[in-house]
Structures are given as C-alpha cells and as structure tokens.
Amino acid sequence: MKQRRHWLGALAACGGALVLPRPLLAADKDWPARPIRMVVPFPPGSSPDLIARLVSEPLAQALGQPVVIENRPGAGGNIGTGQVARAAPDGHTLLFTINGPLVTAPTLSRHLPYDPVRQLAPVTLVATSPNVLVVDPRTGVRGLREFVALARARPGALNYGSVGNGSAAHLAMEQLKARAGISLEHIPYPGFPQIAAAMIAGQIQAAFMVPAIAMPQVNAGRLRVLAVTTSGRTSLLPSVPTVAESGYPGFEAISWQAVLAPAGTPAPIVDRLYRELVKIIGSDAVRAQMRAQYFMPAGTAPASLRQTMASEKARWDQVIRAAGVQPE
C-alpha cells in the first residue's frame, strides 16, 4: 500500500527504532488506581469506536484496570476532544480520535474549545485507513468520471455527507469539488453509520467514508464504491481504482486514528501507555482484526505522532486554502 512518503515513511522509521521508556516514578507507581476512561468523540459503531474497542480490552488486561469507552460525539469530534483536553492529567482519561479534531479543526473552527498542541499529549498512532467514495446506486453512476459528469449536469442538486467540518471525509470531497469544478451541498453527520443510513434513505447521494463502515453496505448492494483515496491502489481494496488514476493525479486523503492524553500527564505514564499499546497493535490477533476492518496497523512513538500532527496540519492547510473552505 502506497502512502505519502513525507510522513508515513517517517512513521515506519520511527517504529523500527523505538526508545525504551524509563521506569515509573515512585509517585506514579499506583497508576492506574481506578478504571481508565477512553473518550471517543464519535458515536458507537463509528470507525474510531470500532478500533478503540478492539484495543481497549487487551489494554485493560495489561494495566490491571478496566478501560471504559465513553462516546462523546458532536461538532465533528471537537466536543469530546475538548473534554479530554480539560481533564485531569493523571493518566485516567484518554482520547481515541481521528485526524480531524487534531489537525484541521484549528484551521476550520472559529471558536475551538481546545488547543491540540498545547493541551494534548500524544501517545501513539494506532492505525491508518483509506477513504472510499461511495454513492447511492440510484444515481446510476458506476465510476468517478460518471459521478463528476452527473454533478456537472446538476450543479448544487446533489448532497454529500461527512463526519464534520474539517474531517478527512469533508476535505476529500471539497478537494474533489475544487479539482473537478463541481458543486455539491455538504451535510454533516455525527458519524459514518449515520452517513450510510442517510444515503440508503436517499437523503444524500455521495460521501467519502472509511471502508470499515462503507464496504459492508457496498457488499450488500445498498451502496456503490467508485474510488479509493490512497495515492496508489491499496492491498486492502485492490480492485478499487484510485481517485488519482481516475483523472486527478496527486489526490490523496488518508484517515488515521491515535491515542492522546491530557497535556501534563506524567511522562512515565505516557511511556507505559505507549509501550503497552504498541505491543497490542503489533500482536497477530489485533493486526488481523484491523486489516479485516480495512485498517493498516501503525504503532509509533509519542514524538512521531506529534510530528505527524504537525506535517499533516501543514498539508491539509494547503488543501483548505486551495479548495477555498471557510472556517465555521
């Protein structure tokens, strides 16, 4: 699977040269002293919820305390992310989120209730996933070129869904709109399951979605997949053409998921979380389950995740400017 060299190559390099964390300090030896709250700022059944639940059980076993998933959806993930940013930095509250609230929300939200760089401590990148462009089969289109032709013939008449302003799903479509010269109406939803339901009901006609949610509906004939957003064809969906090869060279929009903690969480606790999560992500069972849900396992050091956040913000800021997306 071909990924962007400017950051995924660096992730692989960092993953191969991990630094062993120092032992817990005396003040932190009682951690965790109670169940750990893992906030997912999206609804149950969403892609971050699925992967969070996949890693939470083995993490609980490793730490000796329950890891409780708490779904706090709203505002494209910004509400739940803000709650974690303001939580006590004692290692008992974690954030499991996608890239949107971390790298594009600061650019696209006029009143963001948190600063992801100043108020959150990276732990590890968990997984990456392509997005797929799916449509309502009732549109009659079977390929990206046909979809663009339909949108040009009916400017502003087609609706598309996303999981919020600044999400990869939103910006992927805005990027396509700008490149193809088409007009579609944006309708945000709390999560991908709601987008799929809206498309099946005929309320929207298209969306970029993670395949973990889209492909079961595609396989059931309820949705139709047109293209994938990796720079080259992915081994996860080898028969699906890329947006790039369908007439838009250089087009790419990868989703990724990560674990973070409130800033100020003791470094030994962050190190322990990172070490345990990397073990979990690297296990054969978890890797197989991730790939079955169309995710590529990652597992990187905290410093690497911070670098990824910075480089991805710079890249998406360019996309936002080029597409003319305005803050909300």
Side-chain angles (χ1 to χ4, degrees):
M1 176 179 177
K2 297 180 180 177
Q3 305 285 10
R4 289 193 70 87
R5 294 179 181 176
H6 79 279
W7 68 280
L8 284 184
L11 297 181
C14 290
L18 304 180
V19 178
L20 292 177
R22 61 182 181 275
L24 288 175
L25 301 175
D28 304 316
K29 284 185 177 179
D30 292 334
W31 176 86
R34 60 182 184 274
I36 292 173
R37 183 172 64 123
M38 181 176 281
V39 175
V40 177
F42 295 93
S46 61
S47 58
D49 179 74
L50 294 175
I51 303 302
R53 293 181 188 279
L54 179 60
V55 302
S56 63
E57 183 175 346
L59 182 62
Q61 294 174 353
L63 299 179
Q65 285 283 358
V67 176
V68 180
I69 302 297
E70 186 174 307
N71 298 95
R72 293 287 182 180
N78 295 350
I79 291 176
T81 302
Q83 290 177 346
V84 174
R86 297 185 296 271
D90 58 8
H92 292 94
T93 302
L94 302 175
L95 174 68
F96 195 107
T97 190
I98 60 175
N99 33 333
L102 301 177
V103 301
T104 57
T107 302
L108 290 175
S109 300
R110 295 184 188 277
H111 305 289
L112 194 67
Y114 61 90
D115 182 330
V117 175
R118 187 173 58 86
Q119 291 182 275
L120 292 170
V123 176
T124 190
L125 182 73
V126 176
T128 65
S129 173
N131 288 281
V132 289
L133 176 59
V134 293
V135 297
D136 180 348
R138 289 167 290 195
T139 61
V141 301
R142 294 185 173 276
L144 180 55
R145 290 181 174 86
E146 290 183 23
F147 174 72
V148 169
L150 177 65
R152 286 175 177 168
R154 301 175 60 191
L158 303 181
N159 299 324
Y160 82 92
S162 85
V163 292
N165 199 44
S167 64
H170 171 224
L171 294 180
M173 189 66 82
E174 290 299 319
Q175 189 178 178
L176 179 62
K177 284 171 57 179
R179 296 276 303 269
I182 57 177
S183 174
L184 298 90
E185 293 298 318
H186 176 214
I187 301 177
Y189 291 87
F192 285 120
Q194 290 76 19
I195 292 175
M199 199 178 307
I200 292 168
Q203 297 167 358
I204 59 175
Q205 288 71 51
F208 281 98
M209 298 175 61
V210 290
I213 307 300
M215 293 310 296
Q217 303 298 336
V218 170
N219 294 335
R222 300 186 186 98
L223 301 179
R224 180 172 294 151
V225 61
L226 303 185
V228 66
T229 61
T230 43
S231 57
R233 292 209 184 192
T234 169
S235 61
L236 297 173
L237 293 163
S239 65
V240 179
T242 67
V243 175
E245 74 182 81
S246 301
Y248 303 95
F251 189 103
E252 185 178 36
I254 304 299
S255 293
W256 47 267
Q257 302 183 357
V259 173
L260 301 94
T265 300
I269 291 178
V270 172
D271 288 342
R272 172 81 186 281
L273 286 166
Y274 148 67
R275 182 178 60 183
E276 299 295 353
L277 283 166
V278 167
K279 288 180 183 177
I280 292 165
I281 296 164
S283 69
D284 291 342
V286 169
R287 291 177 69 85
Q289 291 179 75
M290 283 189 182
R291 288 188 63 90
Q293 296 185 48
Y294 304 96
F295 283 93
M296 296 295 289
T300 61
S304 178
L305 175 54
R306 185 175 295 281
Q307 181 181 1
T308 295
M309 290 168 59
S311 63
E312 281 285 274
K313 184 179 187 308
R315 183 172 76 88
W316 281 112
D317 279 355
Q318 291 181 348
V319 171
I320 290 167
R321 287 193 296 269
V325 182
Q326 297 300 312
E328 294 182 355

